[in-house]
Coordinates of all heavy atoms in Angstrom, one line a residue:
M1 N 0.9 -1.2 0.0 CA 0.0 0.0 0.0 C 0.9 1.2 0.0 O 1.7 1.4 0.9 CB -0.9 0.0 1.3 CG -1.6 1.2 1.6 SD -3.2 1.5 0.7 CE -4.2 0.2 1.2
P2 N 0.8 2.1 -1.1 CA 1.6 3.3 -1.1 C 1.2 4.3 0.0 O 0.1 4.2 0.5 CB 1.4 3.9 -2.5 CG 0.2 3.1 -3.0 CD 0.0 1.9 -2.2
I3 N 2.2 5.1 0.4 CA 1.8 6.2 1.3 C 0.8 7.1 0.6 O 0.8 7.3 -0.6 CB 3.0 7.0 1.9 CG1 3.8 7.6 0.7 CG2 3.9 6.1 2.7 CD1 4.9 8.5 1.2
P4 N -0.1 7.8 1.4 CA -1.1 8.6 0.8 C -0.5 9.8 0.0 O 0.4 10.5 0.6 CB -2.0 9.1 2.0 CG -1.7 8.2 3.1 CD -0.3 7.7 2.9
I5 N -1.0 10.1 -1.2 CA -0.5 11.2 -1.9 C -0.7 12.5 -1.1 O 0.2 13.4 -1.1 CB -1.2 11.3 -3.3 CG1 -0.8 10.1 -4.1 CG2 -0.8 12.6 -4.1 CD1 -1.6 9.9 -5.4
E6 N -1.8 12.6 -0.4 CA -2.2 13.8 0.3 C -1.1 14.1 1.4 O -0.8 15.3 1.7 CB -3.5 13.6 1.0 CG -4.0 14.9 1.7 CD -5.1 14.6 2.7 OE1 -5.2 13.5 3.2 OE2 -5.8 15.6 3.0
L7 N -0.5 13.1 1.9 CA 0.6 13.3 2.9 C 1.8 13.9 2.3 O 2.3 14.9 2.9 CB 0.9 11.9 3.5 CG 1.9 11.9 4.7 CD1 1.3 12.5 5.9 CD2 2.3 10.4 5.0
V8 N 2.2 13.5 1.1 CA 3.3 14.1 0.5 C 3.0 15.5 0.0 O 3.9 16.4 0.0 CB 3.8 13.2 -0.7 CG1 5.1 13.7 -1.3 CG2 4.0 11.7 -0.2
D9 N 1.7 15.7 -0.4 CA 1.3 17.0 -0.9 C 1.7 18.1 0.1 O 2.2 19.2 -0.3 CB -0.2 17.1 -1.1 CG -0.7 16.4 -2.4 OD1 0.1 16.1 -3.2 OD2 -1.9 16.2 -2.5
R10 N 1.5 17.8 1.4 CA 1.8 18.8 2.4 C 3.2 19.2 2.4 O 3.6 20.4 2.6 CB 1.3 18.3 3.8 CG -0.2 18.1 3.9 CD -0.6 17.3 5.1 NE -2.0 16.9 5.0 CZ -3.0 17.6 5.5 NH1 -2.7 18.7 6.1 NH2 -4.2 17.3 5.3
L11 N 4.1 18.2 2.2 CA 5.6 18.5 2.2 C 5.9 19.3 0.9 O 6.7 20.2 1.0 CB 6.4 17.2 2.3 CG 6.2 16.5 3.6 CD1 6.8 15.1 3.5 CD2 6.8 17.2 4.8
I12 N 5.4 18.8 -0.2 CA 5.7 19.4 -1.5 C 5.3 20.9 -1.4 O 6.0 21.8 -1.8 CB 5.0 18.7 -2.6 CG1 5.5 17.3 -2.7 CG2 5.2 19.5 -3.9 CD1 6.8 17.0 -3.4
L13 N 4.1 21.1 -0.9 CA 3.6 22.5 -0.9 C 4.3 23.4 0.1 O 4.5 24.6 -0.2 CB 2.1 22.5 -0.6 CG 1.2 21.9 -1.7 CD1 -0.2 21.7 -1.1 CD2 1.2 22.8 -2.9
A14 N 4.7 22.8 1.2 CA 5.4 23.6 2.2 C 6.9 23.9 1.9 O 7.4 24.9 2.3 CB 5.4 22.9 3.6
L15 N 7.5 23.0 1.1 CA 9.0 23.0 1.0 C 9.5 23.3 -0.5 O 10.7 23.3 -0.7 CB 9.6 21.7 1.4 CG 9.3 21.3 2.9 CD1 9.8 19.9 3.2 CD2 10.0 22.3 3.8
S16 N 8.5 23.6 -1.4 CA 9.0 23.9 -2.8 C 8.0 24.9 -3.4 O 6.9 25.1 -2.9 CB 9.1 22.6 -3.6 OG 7.8 22.1 -3.8
N17 N 8.4 25.4 -4.5 CA 7.6 26.4 -5.3 C 7.2 25.8 -6.6 O 7.9 24.9 -7.1 CB 8.4 27.7 -5.5 CG 8.7 28.4 -4.2 OD1 7.8 28.6 -3.4 ND2 10.0 28.6 -4.0
P18 N 6.1 26.2 -7.2 CA 5.7 25.7 -8.5 C 6.9 25.9 -9.5 O 7.6 26.9 -9.5 CB 4.5 26.6 -8.9 CG 3.9 27.0 -7.6 CD 5.1 27.2 -6.7
G19 N 7.0 24.8 -10.3 CA 8.1 24.9 -11.4 C 9.4 24.3 -10.9 O 10.3 24.0 -11.7
E20 N 9.6 24.2 -9.6 CA 10.9 23.6 -9.1 C 10.9 22.1 -9.3 O 9.9 21.5 -9.5 CB 11.1 24.0 -7.6 CG 11.3 25.4 -7.4 CD 11.6 25.8 -6.0 OE1 11.4 25.0 -5.0 OE2 12.1 26.9 -5.7
R21 N 12.2 21.6 -9.2 CA 12.4 20.1 -9.4 C 12.4 19.4 -8.0 O 13.0 19.9 -7.1 CB 13.7 19.9 -10.1 CG 13.7 20.2 -11.5 CD 15.0 20.0 -12.2 NE 15.0 20.4 -13.5 CZ 15.1 21.6 -14.0 NH1 15.3 22.6 -13.1 NH2 15.1 21.9 -15.2
I22 N 11.7 18.3 -8.0 CA 11.7 17.5 -6.7 C 12.4 16.1 -7.1 O 12.1 15.5 -8.0 CB 10.3 17.1 -6.3 CG1 9.4 18.4 -6.2 CG2 10.2 16.3 -5.1 CD1 9.8 19.3 -5.0
L23 N 13.4 15.8 -6.3 CA 14.1 14.5 -6.4 C 13.8 13.6 -5.2 O 14.0 14.0 -4.1 CB 15.6 14.8 -6.5 CG 16.5 13.5 -6.3 CD1 16.3 12.5 -7.5 CD2 18.0 13.9 -6.2
D24 N 13.3 12.4 -5.5 CA 13.1 11.4 -4.5 C 14.1 10.3 -4.8 O 13.9 9.5 -5.7 CB 11.7 10.9 -4.5 CG 11.4 9.9 -3.3 OD1 12.4 9.6 -2.6 OD2 10.2 9.6 -3.1
P25 N 15.2 10.2 -4.0 CA 16.2 9.1 -4.3 C 15.8 7.8 -3.8 O 16.5 6.8 -4.1 CB 17.4 9.6 -3.5 CG 16.9 10.5 -2.4 CD 15.6 11.1 -2.9
F26 N 14.7 7.6 -3.2 CA 14.1 6.3 -2.8 C 12.7 6.3 -3.2 O 11.7 6.4 -2.4 CB 14.2 6.2 -1.2 CG 15.7 6.2 -0.8 CD1 16.2 7.4 -0.3 CD2 16.5 5.1 -0.8 CE1 17.5 7.5 0.2 CE2 17.8 5.1 -0.4 CZ 18.3 6.3 0.1
G27 N 12.5 6.2 -4.5 CA 11.2 6.5 -5.2 C 10.1 5.6 -4.9 O 8.9 6.0 -5.1
G28 N 10.3 4.4 -4.5 CA 9.2 3.4 -4.3 C 8.3 3.3 -5.5 O 8.7 3.2 -6.6
V29 N 7.0 3.4 -5.2 CA 6.0 3.3 -6.3 C 5.6 4.7 -6.8 O 4.5 4.8 -7.5 CB 4.8 2.4 -5.9 CG1 5.3 1.0 -5.7 CG2 4.1 3.0 -4.7
G30 N 6.4 5.7 -6.5 CA 6.2 7.0 -7.2 C 5.2 8.0 -6.6 O 4.8 9.0 -7.3
T31 N 4.9 7.8 -5.3 CA 4.0 8.8 -4.7 C 4.5 10.2 -4.7 O 3.8 11.1 -5.0 CB 3.7 8.3 -3.2 OG1 3.2 7.0 -3.3 CG2 2.6 9.2 -2.6
T32 N 5.8 10.3 -4.5 CA 6.4 11.7 -4.5 C 6.3 12.3 -5.9 O 6.0 13.5 -6.1 CB 7.8 11.7 -4.0 OG1 7.9 11.1 -2.7 CG2 8.5 13.0 -3.9
L33 N 6.6 11.4 -6.9 CA 6.5 11.9 -8.3 C 5.1 12.5 -8.6 O 4.9 13.6 -9.1 CB 6.7 10.8 -9.3 CG 8.1 10.2 -9.5 CD1 8.1 9.1 -10.5 CD2 9.1 11.3 -9.9
I34 N 4.1 11.7 -8.2 CA 2.7 12.1 -8.5 C 2.3 13.3 -7.8 O 1.8 14.3 -8.3 CB 1.8 10.9 -8.1 CG1 2.0 9.7 -9.0 CG2 0.3 11.4 -8.2 CD1 1.5 8.4 -8.5
S35 N 2.7 13.4 -6.5 CA 2.4 14.6 -5.7 C 3.1 15.8 -6.4 O 2.5 16.9 -6.5 CB 2.8 14.5 -4.3 OG 2.6 15.7 -3.6
A36 N 4.3 15.7 -6.7 CA 5.1 16.8 -7.4 C 4.4 17.3 -8.6 O 4.1 18.4 -8.8 CB 6.5 16.4 -7.6
L37 N 4.0 16.3 -9.5 CA 3.4 16.6 -10.8 C 2.0 17.3 -10.6 O 1.7 18.3 -11.2 CB 3.2 15.4 -11.6 CG 4.6 14.7 -12.1 CD1 4.3 13.4 -12.7 CD2 5.3 15.7 -13.1
K38 N 1.2 16.7 -9.6 CA -0.1 17.3 -9.4 C -0.1 18.7 -8.8 O -1.0 19.5 -8.9 CB -1.0 16.3 -8.7 CG -1.0 16.4 -7.2 CD -1.8 15.2 -6.6 CE -3.1 15.7 -6.0 NZ -3.0 16.3 -4.7
N39 N 1.1 19.0 -8.2 CA 1.2 20.4 -7.6 C 2.1 21.3 -8.5 O 2.7 22.3 -8.0 CB 1.8 20.2 -6.2 CG 0.7 19.7 -5.3 OD1 -0.3 20.3 -5.1 ND2 0.9 18.5 -4.7
G40 N 2.3 20.9 -9.7 CA 3.0 21.8 -10.7 C 4.5 21.9 -10.6 O 5.1 22.9 -10.9
R41 N 5.1 20.8 -10.0 CA 6.5 20.7 -9.9 C 7.0 19.8 -11.0 O 6.3 18.9 -11.5 CB 7.0 20.2 -8.5 CG 7.0 21.3 -7.4 CD 5.7 21.9 -7.1 NE 5.8 22.6 -5.8 CZ 4.8 23.4 -5.4 NH1 3.7 23.6 -6.1 NH2 4.9 24.1 -4.3
K42 N 8.3 19.8 -11.3 CA 9.0 18.8 -12.1 C 9.5 17.7 -11.1 O 9.8 18.1 -10.0 CB 10.1 19.4 -12.9 CG 9.6 20.5 -13.9 CD 10.8 21.1 -14.6 CE 10.3 22.2 -15.6 NZ 10.5 23.5 -15.0
A43 N 9.6 16.5 -11.6 CA 10.0 15.4 -10.6 C 10.8 14.3 -11.3 O 10.6 14.0 -12.5 CB 8.7 14.8 -10.1
L44 N 11.7 13.8 -10.5 CA 12.4 12.6 -10.9 C 12.7 11.8 -9.6 O 12.7 12.3 -8.5 CB 13.7 12.9 -11.6 CG 14.8 13.7 -10.9 CD1 16.1 13.3 -11.5 CD2 14.6 15.2 -11.0
C45 N 12.9 10.4 -9.9 CA 13.1 9.6 -8.7 C 14.1 8.5 -9.1 O 14.3 8.2 -10.3 CB 11.9 9.0 -8.1 SG 11.1 7.7 -9.1
V46 N 14.7 7.9 -8.1 CA 15.6 6.7 -8.3 C 15.0 5.6 -7.5 O 14.5 5.8 -6.4 CB 17.0 7.0 -7.7 CG1 17.9 5.8 -7.9 CG2 17.6 8.3 -8.4
E47 N 14.9 4.4 -8.1 CA 14.4 3.2 -7.4 C 15.1 2.0 -7.9 O 15.3 1.8 -9.1 CB 12.9 3.1 -7.6 CG 12.2 1.9 -7.1 CD 12.5 1.6 -5.7 OE1 12.3 2.5 -4.8 OE2 13.0 0.5 -5.4
K48 N 15.5 1.2 -6.9 CA 16.3 0.0 -7.3 C 15.5 -1.2 -7.7 O 16.0 -2.1 -8.4 CB 17.3 -0.4 -6.2 CG 16.7 -0.9 -4.9 CD 17.8 -1.2 -3.9 CE 17.3 -1.6 -2.6 NZ 16.7 -3.0 -2.6
E49 N 14.2 -1.3 -7.3 CA 13.4 -2.4 -7.6 C 12.6 -2.2 -8.9 O 11.8 -1.3 -9.0 CB 12.4 -2.7 -6.4 CG 13.0 -3.0 -5.1 CD 13.8 -4.3 -5.0 OE1 13.5 -5.2 -5.8 OE2 14.7 -4.4 -4.2
E50 N 12.9 -3.1 -9.8 CA 12.3 -3.0 -11.2 C 10.7 -3.0 -11.1 O 10.1 -2.2 -11.7 CB 12.7 -4.2 -12.0 CG 12.1 -4.3 -13.4 CD 12.5 -3.2 -14.3 OE1 13.6 -2.6 -14.1 OE2 11.7 -2.8 -15.2
L51 N 10.2 -3.9 -10.2 CA 8.7 -3.9 -10.1 C 8.2 -2.6 -9.6 O 7.2 -2.1 -10.1 CB 8.3 -5.0 -9.1 CG 6.8 -5.1 -8.8 CD1 6.0 -5.4 -10.1 CD2 6.5 -6.2 -7.8
Y52 N 8.8 -2.0 -8.6 CA 8.3 -0.7 -8.1 C 8.4 0.4 -9.2 O 7.6 1.3 -9.3 CB 9.1 -0.3 -6.9 CG 8.9 -1.1 -5.7 CD1 9.7 -1.0 -4.6 CD2 8.0 -2.1 -5.6 CE1 9.6 -1.8 -3.4 CE2 7.8 -2.9 -4.5 CZ 8.6 -2.8 -3.4 OH 8.4 -3.6 -2.3
C53 N 9.5 0.3 -10.0 CA 9.6 1.3 -11.2 C 8.4 1.1 -12.1 O 7.9 2.1 -12.6 CB 10.9 1.0 -11.9 SG 12.4 1.5 -11.0
Q54 N 8.1 -0.1 -12.4 CA 7.0 -0.4 -13.3 C 5.7 0.2 -12.7 O 4.9 0.8 -13.4 CB 6.8 -1.9 -13.6 CG 7.9 -2.4 -14.5 CD 7.9 -4.0 -14.6 OE1 6.9 -4.6 -14.1 NE2 8.9 -4.5 -15.1
I55 N 5.5 -0.1 -11.4 CA 4.2 0.4 -10.8 C 4.2 1.9 -10.8 O 3.2 2.6 -11.1 CB 4.1 -0.2 -9.4 CG1 3.9 -1.7 -9.4 CG2 2.9 0.5 -8.6 CD1 4.0 -2.3 -8.0
A56 N 5.3 2.5 -10.5 CA 5.4 4.0 -10.5 C 5.1 4.6 -11.9 O 4.4 5.5 -12.0 CB 6.8 4.5 -10.1
Q57 N 5.7 3.9 -12.9 CA 5.4 4.4 -14.3 C 3.9 4.3 -14.6 O 3.4 5.2 -15.2 CB 6.2 3.5 -15.2 CG 6.3 4.0 -16.6 CD 7.3 3.2 -17.5 OE1 7.7 2.1 -17.2 NE2 7.7 3.8 -18.6
E58 N 3.3 3.2 -14.2 CA 1.9 3.0 -14.5 C 1.1 4.1 -13.7 O 0.1 4.6 -14.3 CB 1.4 1.6 -14.0 CG 1.7 0.5 -15.0 CD 1.5 -0.9 -14.4 OE1 0.7 -1.0 -13.5 OE2 2.2 -1.8 -14.9
R59 N 1.5 4.3 -12.5 CA 0.7 5.3 -11.7 C 0.9 6.7 -12.3 O -0.1 7.5 -12.4 CB 1.2 5.3 -10.3 CG 0.8 4.0 -9.5 CD 1.3 4.1 -8.1 NE 0.5 4.9 -7.2 CZ 1.0 5.6 -6.2 NH1 2.3 5.6 -5.9 NH2 0.2 6.3 -5.5
V60 N 2.1 7.1 -12.8 CA 2.3 8.4 -13.4 C 1.5 8.5 -14.7 O 0.8 9.5 -15.0 CB 3.8 8.6 -13.7 CG1 4.0 9.8 -14.6 CG2 4.5 8.8 -12.3
L61 N 1.4 7.4 -15.5 CA 0.6 7.4 -16.7 C -0.8 7.6 -16.4 O -1.6 8.3 -17.0 CB 0.9 6.1 -17.5 CG 2.2 6.0 -18.2 CD1 2.4 4.6 -18.8 CD2 2.4 7.1 -19.3
D62 N -1.3 6.9 -15.4 CA -2.7 7.0 -14.9 C -3.0 8.4 -14.5 O -4.1 9.0 -14.7 CB -3.0 6.0 -13.8 CG -3.1 4.6 -14.2 OD1 -3.3 4.4 -15.5 OD2 -3.1 3.7 -13.4
F63 N -2.0 9.0 -13.8 CA -2.2 10.4 -13.4 C -2.4 11.3 -14.6 O -3.3 12.1 -14.7 CB -0.9 10.9 -12.6 CG -0.9 12.4 -12.5 CD1 -1.7 13.0 -11.5 CD2 -0.1 13.2 -13.3 CE1 -1.7 14.4 -11.4 CE2 -0.1 14.6 -13.1 CZ -0.9 15.2 -12.2
F64 N -1.6 11.2 -15.7 CA -1.7 12.0 -16.9 C -3.0 11.7 -17.6 O -3.6 12.6 -18.3 CB -0.5 11.8 -17.8 CG 0.7 12.6 -17.3 CD1 1.9 12.0 -16.9 CD2 0.6 14.0 -17.2 CE1 3.0 12.7 -16.5 CE2 1.7 14.8 -16.7 CZ 2.9 14.1 -16.4
K65 N -3.5 10.4 -17.5 CA -4.7 10.1 -18.2 C -5.9 10.5 -17.4 O -7.1 10.5 -17.8 CB -4.8 8.5 -18.4 CG -4.0 8.0 -19.5 CD -4.3 6.5 -19.8 CE -3.6 5.6 -18.8 NZ -3.7 4.2 -19.0
G66 N -5.7 10.9 -16.1 CA -6.8 11.4 -15.3 C -7.5 10.2 -14.6 O -8.6 10.4 -14.1
T67 N -6.9 9.0 -14.6 CA -7.6 7.8 -14.0 C -7.0 7.4 -12.7 O -7.5 6.5 -12.0 CB -7.5 6.6 -15.0 OG1 -6.1 6.4 -15.3 CG2 -8.3 6.9 -16.3
L68 N -6.0 8.1 -12.2 CA -5.4 7.8 -10.9 C -6.3 8.3 -9.8 O -6.7 9.5 -9.9 CB -4.0 8.3 -10.8 CG -3.3 7.9 -9.5 CD1 -2.8 6.5 -9.6 CD2 -2.1 8.8 -9.3
K69 N -6.6 7.5 -8.8 CA -7.5 7.9 -7.7 C -6.6 8.4 -6.6 O -5.7 7.7 -6.2 CB -8.5 6.8 -7.3 CG -9.5 6.5 -8.4 CD -10.5 5.5 -7.9 CE -11.5 5.3 -8.9 NZ -12.1 4.0 -8.9
W70 N -7.0 9.4 -5.9 CA -6.4 9.8 -4.6 C -7.4 10.5 -3.8 O -8.4 11.0 -4.2 CB -5.2 10.7 -4.9 CG -5.4 12.0 -5.5 CD1 -5.9 13.1 -4.8 CD2 -5.2 12.4 -6.8 NE1 -6.0 14.2 -5.7 CE2 -5.5 13.8 -6.9 CE3 -4.6 11.8 -7.9 CZ2 -5.4 14.5 -8.1 CZ3 -4.5 12.5 -9.1 CH2 -4.9 13.8 -9.2
R71 N -7.1 10.5 -2.5 CA -8.0 11.2 -1.5 C -7.7 12.7 -1.6 O -6.6 13.2 -1.6 CB -7.6 10.7 -0.1 CG -8.5 11.1 1.0 CD -8.0 10.4 2.3 NE -8.9 10.8 3.4 CZ -8.7 11.9 4.1 NH1 -7.7 12.7 3.8 NH2 -9.5 12.2 5.1
K72 N -8.8 13.5 -1.7 CA -8.7 14.9 -1.8 C -8.2 15.5 -0.6 O -8.5 15.1 0.5 CB -10.0 15.5 -2.2 CG -10.5 15.2 -3.6 CD -11.7 16.1 -4.0 CE -12.1 15.8 -5.4 NZ -12.7 14.5 -5.5
M73 N -7.3 16.6 -0.7 CA -6.8 17.3 0.4 C -7.9 17.8 1.3 O -8.8 18.5 0.8 CB -5.9 18.5 -0.1 CG -5.2 19.3 1.0 SD -3.8 18.5 1.6 CE -2.5 19.3 0.5
G74 N -7.8 17.6 2.6 CA -8.8 18.1 3.6 C -10.1 17.3 3.6 O -11.0 17.7 4.3
Q75 N -10.2 16.2 2.8 CA -11.5 15.5 2.8 C -11.7 14.9 4.2 O -10.8 14.4 4.9 CB -11.3 14.3 1.8 CG -12.6 13.5 1.6 CD -12.4 12.5 0.5 OE1 -11.7 12.7 -0.4 NE2 -13.0 11.3 0.7
E76 N -13.0 14.9 4.6 CA -13.3 14.4 5.9 C -13.0 12.9 6.1 O -13.1 12.2 5.1 CB -14.8 14.6 6.2 CG -15.3 14.5 7.6 CD -16.7 14.9 7.8 OE1 -17.2 15.8 7.1 OE2 -17.4 14.2 8.5
I77 N -12.5 12.5 7.2 CA -12.1 11.1 7.4 C -13.4 10.3 7.5 O -14.4 10.6 8.2 CB -11.3 11.0 8.8 CG1 -10.0 11.7 8.6 CG2 -11.1 9.5 9.1 CD1 -9.2 11.8 9.9
Y78 N -13.4 9.2 6.8 CA -14.5 8.3 6.7 C -14.7 7.5 8.0 O -13.7 6.9 8.4 CB -14.4 7.4 5.5 CG -15.5 6.4 5.4 CD1 -16.8 6.7 5.0 CD2 -15.2 5.0 5.7 CE1 -17.8 5.8 4.9 CE2 -16.2 4.1 5.6 CZ -17.5 4.5 5.2 OH -18.5 3.5 5.1
T79 N -15.9 7.6 8.5 CA -16.1 6.8 9.7 C -17.2 5.7 9.3 O -18.3 6.1 9.0 CB -16.7 7.6 10.9 OG1 -15.8 8.7 11.1 CG2 -16.9 6.8 12.1
P80 N -16.8 4.4 9.3 CA -17.8 3.4 9.0 C -19.0 3.4 9.9 O -18.8 3.6 11.1 CB -17.0 2.1 9.1 CG -15.6 2.5 9.2 CD -15.5 3.9 9.7
K81 N -20.2 3.2 9.3 CA -21.4 3.2 10.1 C -21.7 1.8 10.6 O -22.4 1.6 11.6 CB -22.6 3.7 9.2 CG -22.4 5.0 8.6 CD -22.6 6.2 9.6 CE -22.5 7.5 8.9 NZ -21.2 8.0 8.7
N82 N -21.1 0.8 10.0 CA -21.3 -0.6 10.3 C -20.6 -0.9 11.6 O -19.4 -0.9 11.7 CB -20.8 -1.4 9.2 CG -21.2 -2.9 9.4 OD1 -21.4 -3.3 10.5 ND2 -21.1 -3.7 8.3
D83 N -21.4 -1.3 12.6 CA -20.8 -1.6 13.9 C -19.9 -2.8 13.9 O -19.0 -2.9 14.7 CB -21.9 -1.9 15.0 CG -22.6 -0.7 15.4 OD1 -22.1 0.4 15.1 OD2 -23.7 -0.8 16.0
S84 N -20.0 -3.7 12.9 CA -19.2 -4.9 12.9 C -17.7 -4.5 12.5 O -16.8 -5.3 12.8 CB -19.7 -5.9 11.9 OG -19.6 -5.4 10.6
V85 N -17.4 -3.4 11.9 CA -16.1 -3.0 11.6 C -15.6 -1.8 12.5 O -14.4 -1.5 12.5 CB -15.8 -2.7 10.1 CG1 -16.0 -3.9 9.3 CG2 -16.7 -1.5 9.7
A86 N -16.5 -1.2 13.2 CA -16.1 0.0 14.0 C -16.5 -0.1 15.4 O -17.3 0.6 15.9 CB -16.7 1.3 13.4
Y87 N -15.9 -1.1 16.1 CA -16.2 -1.3 17.5 C -15.0 -1.5 18.2 O -13.9 -2.0 17.7 CB -17.2 -2.4 17.6 CG -16.6 -3.8 17.6 CD1 -16.4 -4.5 18.8 CD2 -16.3 -4.4 16.4 CE1 -15.8 -5.8 18.7 CE2 -15.7 -5.6 16.3 CZ -15.4 -6.3 17.5 OH -14.8 -7.5 17.4
V88 N -15.0 -1.2 19.5 CA -13.9 -1.5 20.4 C -14.1 -2.9 21.0 O -15.1 -3.2 21.6 CB -13.8 -0.4 21.6 CG1 -12.7 -0.8 22.5 CG2 -13.7 1.0 21.0
P89 N -13.1 -3.7 20.8 CA -13.2 -5.1 21.3 C -13.5 -5.1 22.8 O -12.9 -4.3 23.5 CB -11.9 -5.8 21.0 CG -11.3 -4.9 19.9 CD -11.8 -3.5 20.1
E90 N -14.3 -6.0 23.2 CA -14.7 -6.1 24.6 C -13.5 -6.1 25.5 O -13.5 -5.4 26.6 CB -15.6 -7.4 24.8 CG -16.3 -7.5 26.1 CD -17.3 -6.3 26.3 OE1 -18.0 -6.0 25.4 OE2 -17.3 -5.7 27.4
E91 N -12.5 -6.9 25.2 CA -11.3 -7.0 26.0 C -10.5 -5.7 26.2 O -9.6 -5.6 27.0 CB -10.4 -8.2 25.6 CG -9.8 -8.1 24.2 CD -10.7 -8.7 23.1 OE1 -12.0 -8.7 23.3 OE2 -10.2 -9.1 22.1
W92 N -10.7 -4.7 25.3 CA -10.0 -3.5 25.4 C -10.7 -2.5 26.3 O -10.1 -1.5 26.8 CB -9.9 -2.8 24.0 CG -8.9 -3.5 23.1 CD1 -8.4 -4.7 23.2 CD2 -8.4 -2.9 21.9 NE1 -7.6 -5.0 22.2 CE2 -7.5 -3.9 21.3 CE3 -8.6 -1.7 21.2 CZ2 -6.9 -3.7 20.1 CZ3 -7.9 -1.5 20.1 CH2 -7.0 -2.5 19.5
R93 N -12.0 -2.7 26.6 CA -12.8 -1.8 27.3 C -12.2 -1.6 28.7 O -11.9 -2.6 29.4 CB -14.3 -2.2 27.4 CG -14.9 -2.1 26.0 CD -16.4 -2.6 26.1 NE -16.8 -2.9 24.7 CZ -17.4 -2.0 23.9 NH1 -17.7 -0.8 24.3 NH2 -17.8 -2.4 22.7
G94 N -12.1 -0.4 29.2 CA -11.6 -0.1 30.5 C -10.1 -0.1 30.6 O -9.5 0.2 31.7
L95 N -9.4 -0.4 29.5 CA -7.9 -0.4 29.6 C -7.3 1.0 29.2 O -6.2 1.2 29.4 CB -7.3 -1.4 28.6 CG -7.6 -2.9 28.9 CD1 -7.1 -3.8 27.8 CD2 -7.1 -3.3 30.3
G96 N -8.2 1.9 28.7 CA -7.7 3.2 28.3 C -6.7 3.2 27.1 O -5.9 4.0 27.0
V97 N -6.9 2.2 26.3 CA -5.9 2.0 25.2 C -6.4 2.7 23.9 O -5.7 2.6 22.9 CB -5.7 0.5 24.8 CG1 -4.9 -0.2 25.9 CG2 -7.0 -0.2 24.5
Y98 N -7.5 3.4 23.9 CA -8.0 4.1 22.7 C -8.4 5.5 23.0 O -8.6 5.8 24.2 CB -9.0 3.3 22.0 CG -10.3 3.1 22.8 CD1 -11.4 4.0 22.6 CD2 -10.4 2.1 23.7 CE1 -12.5 3.9 23.4 CE2 -11.6 1.9 24.5 CZ -12.6 2.8 24.3 OH -13.7 2.7 25.0
Ligands
SAM1 C1 9.8 3.8 1.8 S1 10.1 3.4 0.1 C2 9.9 5.0 -0.6 C3 8.6 5.6 -0.7 C4 8.5 6.8 -1.7 N1 9.5 7.8 -1.3 C5 7.1 7.3 -1.9 O1 7.0 8.6 -1.9 O2 6.2 6.5 -2.1 C6 11.8 3.3 0.0 C7 12.3 2.8 -1.3 O3 13.7 3.0 -1.5 C8 14.2 2.0 -2.3 N2 15.7 1.9 -2.1 C9 16.3 1.4 -1.0 N3 17.7 1.5 -1.2 C10 17.8 2.1 -2.5 C11 19.0 2.4 -3.3 N4 20.2 2.3 -2.8 N5 18.8 3.0 -4.5 C12 17.5 3.2 -4.9 N6 16.4 2.9 -4.3 C13 16.6 2.3 -3.1 C14 13.4 0.7 -1.9 O4 13.4 -0.3 -2.9 C15 12.1 1.3 -1.6 O5 11.2 1.1 -2.6

């Protein structure tokens, strides 16, 4: 699971200006590339794993095609309504662990 693009957006926006170049020397599956491109920066990365390079390339192409999905900046956090996935296990109650 790649890190959220929205997370990298905050760094790109805070630490660079439009048109500048962003280098990610540990590129992974290209999340930094995508964030840089969507925020009007130029981008390049280095990645040693061939598979990750292929995935990054596909994600960048999907970005340019407009088919890449990402969570919008500032979007409200989704809280599931279904009690079966959003409940505190009985054994945790009273432990103050949440
Ligand atoms: C945590 S991931 C990077 C995530 C990425 N920065 C992003 O925005 O999604 C770290 C990556 O660094 C790569 N890596 C580790 N050592 C490397 C090296 N010497 N040269 C190139 N890539 C390397 C790993 O294969 C891994 O994909």
